[in-house]
Amino acid sequence: MTERTRPTVDRALCKGHGRCYMVAPDVFDCDDEGFAVVTDDATTPEQIAGLDRAVSNCPEQAISTATR
Ligand code: F3S
């Protein structure tokens, strides 16, 4: 089974800074108001690296991850 990391955005914390979907556009997108939405689990090395960057670059610490 492929290991995958599922990101979650806490909508109460997200302020729409947009760094997550800039550094990991294959994991996150933005809604009509600029808040983050998760579009995919991180499974490829590129997605996992992007997710790591998104987590460390979110000023609100709104992104959490669970590996399964
Ligand atoms: Fe929101 Fe953080 Fe992304 S504030 S838009 S989850 S960088």
Side-chain angles (χ1 to χ4, degrees), residues 14-21 34 36 58 60 62-63:
C14 176
K15 298 290 186 282
H17 293 289
R19 296 183 187 177
C20 55
Y21 45 81
C58 175
E60 308 298 335
I63 304 167

Side-chain angles (χ1 to χ4, degrees), residues 9-56:
V9 175
D10 186 330
R11 300 287 300 207
L13 293 176
C14 176
K15 298 290 186 282
H17 293 289
R19 296 183 187 177
C20 55
Y21 45 81
M22 284 191 283
V23 299
D26 50 0
V27 177
F28 298 97
D29 201 352
C30 60
D31 67 12
D32 291 344
E33 297 176 322
F35 296 105
V37 291
V38 176
T39 57
D40 200 3
D41 288 350
T43 55
T44 68
E46 292 78 15
Q47 285 176 315
I48 290 169
L51 177 55
D52 285 345
R53 285 194 299 272
V55 168
S56 57

